[in-house]
Amino acid sequence: MSAKVLVVLTSHDTLGDTGKETGFYLSEVSHPVAVFDQAGLTVKYVSPKGGKAPMTGIDLNDPLNKAFLDNPEKVAQVENTLCPQQINPVEYNAIFYAGGHGTVWDFPDNAELARIATAIYELGGVVGAVCHGPAALVNVKLSNGEYLVAGKTVSCFTNEEEAAVGLTDVVPFLLESKLIERGATVDKAPNFQAKVVVSDRLVTGQNPASATGVAQRIVELLEQSTPVLSSTVSA
């Protein structure tokens, strides 16, 4: 049985009060999914509202973006995402939160997504996130009441990067600061440079340049544990 990864996309399409659109950042899906496909993983998509997930960062000069958008099956998947209520966590070996600014609005307080992440992690699975995707982790608690990120080292879109894109006063909170509040240590690279951090079975990346690396580390962890996970899922 091949391992199965749940890719989580934002449903939020408005960039605060700027009048601009937002959503999931395409390369933070197309690049990781290319890695997952190469490894033979089964990929499913979910979003807070289900249905069509708003997309941003559509750079067709990026060959992986173009390949993704040229694939009708993949486009159909991101336009017909599952709802959290349709997800049975025991069927998945990993959950991966793609970034994009929309995530800071609708990921943190989604109790169903948090429940899914907790279940996958406590069943021995992998939790991954890139760029603003770690916004999903700020309120995830384990069964013992502790935050998932507490005591762990993570990476995310940094306060300096948020300032560099001029959105410090637009986002509802600064992701780096919030993760530190939750007990995490944030390890970061210079602005927009690749950075991937693995802490136990939590894999996080700083920005779009980190997306491929996050997926590669998720695959590595799954390759170490899939036999056990597969037997658990099949039981």
Side-chain angles (χ1 to χ4, degrees), residues 21-26 53-58 68-69 75 78-79:
E21 296 180 350
T22 189
F24 75 85
Y25 200 78
L26 178 56
M55 183 189 303
T56 190
I58 304 172
F68 190 96
L69 294 178
V75 172
V78 299
E79 291 187 347

Side-chain angles (χ1 to χ4, degrees), residues 207-232:
N207 44 40
S210 314
T212 294
V214 170
Q216 289 170 338
R217 299 310 296 274
I218 290 172
V219 168
E220 288 172 9
L221 288 172
L222 290 176
E223 286 174 344
Q224 297 168 16
S225 60
T226 294
V228 173
L229 286 165
S230 296
S231 63
T232 301

Side-chain angles (χ1 to χ4, degrees), residues 5-81:
V5 57
L6 183 64
V7 175
V8 190
L9 309 178
T10 182
S11 297
H12 189 86
D13 63 0
T14 305
L15 190 61
D17 58 4
T18 64
K20 297 179 180 178
E21 296 180 350
T22 189
F24 75 85
Y25 200 78
L26 178 56
S27 68
E28 293 172 21
V29 174
S30 64
H31 288 219
V33 167
V35 174
F36 297 149
D37 287 348
Q38 175 100 22
L41 305 186
T42 299
V43 178
K44 297 291 184 180
Y45 296 85
V46 67
S47 65
K49 293 181 180 179
K52 185 174 182 177
M55 183 189 303
T56 190
I58 304 172
D59 176 9
L60 296 181
N61 291 319
D62 179 327
L64 292 179
N65 281 354
K66 188 173 187 306
F68 190 96
L69 294 178
D70 285 346
N71 185 318
E73 181 181 351
K74 294 190 185 305
V75 172
Q77 285 182 302
V78 299
E79 291 187 347
N80 298 276
T81 63

Side-chain angles (χ1 to χ4, degrees), residues 84-144:
Q85 295 80 5
Q86 295 175 278
I87 301 299
N88 181 355
V90 302
E91 296 179 358
Y92 293 89
N93 307 96
I95 185 169
F96 169 71
Y97 294 94
H101 272 91
T103 63
V104 294
W105 277 274
D106 67 351
F107 278 6
D109 296 319
N110 191 293
E112 282 295 309
L113 287 177
R115 177 187 63 81
I116 292 166
T118 298
I120 289 172
Y121 189 80
E122 293 188 335
L123 284 168
V126 179
V127 175
V130 69
C131 199
H132 287 90
L137 306 176
V138 300
N139 291 323
V140 174
K141 289 186 176 181
L142 302 176
S143 297
N144 62 9

Side-chain angles (χ1 to χ4, degrees), residues 173-194:
F173 60 89
L174 291 173
L175 182 51
E176 177 188 341
S177 297
K178 184 68 72 174
L179 288 166
I180 292 170
E181 283 179 26
R182 298 301 193 237
T185 298
V186 175
D187 187 6
K188 53 189 176 181
N191 284 3
F192 312 113
Q193 299 300 304

